Amino acid sequence: MMLSKFTQDTVLLTVVYFLSSFNSVFAECTREGLVAAANSYVAAFSAGKFDKLKVASSNFTYQENNKAADIKRGVLSQSHNISLNRSTADTVACASYTMIISLASSSNSKPYVTATQIRHPADGDTSIITSIDTIAATTGSLFFNAPKTLGYIQKENWAIIDTVADRPSRELLKKVGDAYLDMWTDAKAADSIPWGTDCERVEGSQYTRPCGGQLPRGGSAKRNGNRRYVIDEVTGSVDVLCSFDALGNMPDSHEIGVEGAKVKYVHTITV
């Protein structure tokens, strides 16, 4: 059956309209958008003005130290003297990870080292934040000493890995992140991790180099659970927020950096 010219044009316009509408609904989750959202969080953290964040009008969640919390009373309710911040982006999960080190100041007597994962809608719209999930360590937290931590971490290099072939795969990064957290319950986990000879580990403010020695090899009955991931192949980073159940249900962040297929950096933030 032959369609009239008018009918053909109508069908074509309908298809074009449908495709344009489809693309607008399912926007691409871009690295630039994720980093921009993370930067807006850093600005809100610095100013103590959470109301400037563009959060979802419904079903927005805020969590602090593994517990649902009121964003109006959390770490974002006070201004902070930020000495260092760094963010990574996961375009697959449409999420970002941000580490912040803030020292005590006249406006806030408490220093902080925080690990935050920010998530966005499944449609890829990075202008909207659906959840903020923060591990916030301060005075009294495990091995806490913000100035000392800053001294170690500001010397590190987490630059973008320019050559795509040199970037670790998403699968490798997740495997390394899981294996590290499994060391307390799996005696073989430590040996499955590709340690770099010059790997550096900063646990709170405790520094170890190389970080492939003196590792746990099982012994705990309870697996570190409630794991949430942000994986960034472009910088070779995986961050896992979790409940460190192997040692007693402690809110925790482990970020691991992989360079040349070997573990280069390990950061832990534990409350």
Side-chain angles (χ1 to χ4, degrees):
M1 181 179 69
M2 297 294 293
L3 297 177
S4 69
K5 182 67 168 59
F6 175 79
T7 303
Q8 290 175 359
D9 289 346
T10 301
V11 171
L12 179 61
L13 287 171
T14 301
V15 171
V16 170
Y17 175 78
F18 172 78
L19 290 175
S20 64
S21 299
F22 181 88
N23 288 334
S24 66
V25 171
F26 294 96
E28 182 184 4
C29 185
T30 66
R31 183 175 191 84
E32 293 75 17
L34 291 170
V35 171
N39 288 341
S40 72
Y41 173 82
V42 173
F45 188 95
S46 176
K49 295 182 178 180
F50 57 85
D51 56 325
K52 292 189 177 181
L53 292 172
K54 192 175 179 183
V55 301
S57 57
S58 62
N59 299 321
F60 168 74
T61 61
Y62 179 76
Q63 183 165 279
E64 196 168 297
N65 293 336
N66 289 350
K67 293 181 180 179
D70 184 350
I71 194 172
K72 298 176 182 179
R73 298 185 178 183
V75 290
L76 286 173
S77 65
Q78 306 171 59
S79 62
H80 300 270
N81 176 30
I82 297 178
S83 297
L84 180 147
N85 74 89
R86 181 177 55 78
S87 296
T88 63
D90 184 338
T91 56
V92 175
C94 207
S96 64
Y97 164 71
T98 298
M99 178 186 192
I100 294 177
I101 300 177
S102 62
L103 303 183
S105 66
S106 57
S107 60
N108 191 339
S109 60
K110 277 191 173 183
Y112 280 95
V113 178
T114 65
T116 300
Q117 293 183 359
I118 297 173
R119 299 188 184 275
H120 303 273
D123 66 10
D125 184 359
T126 55
S127 70
I128 301 294
I129 296 172
T130 56
S131 75
I132 297 175
D133 189 354
T134 294
I135 304 296
T138 188
T139 305
S141 297
L142 186 67
F143 305 140
F144 185 83
N145 185 320
K148 197 172 179 181
T149 302
L150 175 64
Y152 294 133
I153 291 181
Q154 66 186 355
K155 298 175 184 177
E156 298 175 350
N157 179 15
W158 289 77
I160 286 175
I161 303 171
D162 292 321
T163 305
V164 174
D166 292 339
R167 296 172 182 172
S169 69
R170 186 176 185 85
E171 292 73 23
L172 174 63
L173 289 167
K174 185 176 185 299
K175 181 180 178 181
V176 167
D178 279 331
Y180 196 100
L181 289 171
D182 287 342
M183 290 192 298
W184 283 262
T185 50
D186 182 350
K188 298 180 180 179
D191 293 332
S192 73
I193 298 172
W195 302 105
T197 55
D198 61 346
C199 174
E200 303 175 47
R201 182 172 70 238
V202 181
E203 296 176 286
S205 62
Q206 292 196 341
Y207 177 83
T208 304
R209 180 179 180 182
C211 58
Q214 299 180 342
L215 298 168
R217 296 181 181 274
S220 295
K222 197 166 184 181
R223 181 177 182 265
N224 295 318
N226 190 23
R227 301 180 186 184
R228 294 94 74 195
Y229 304 85
V230 169
I231 300 172
D232 183 358
E233 306 97 309
V234 176
T235 59
S237 164
V238 54
D239 176 70
V240 190
L241 301 186
C242 71
S243 174
F244 209 88
D245 296 317
L247 299 179
N249 190 26
M250 296 184 291
D252 177 86
S253 167
H254 271 67
E255 183 188 20
I256 299 174
V258 174
E259 184 179 287
K262 303 287 186 180
V263 173
K264 172 66 175 176
Y265 300 118
V266 177
H267 295 163
T268 77
I269 301 171
T270 308
V271 178

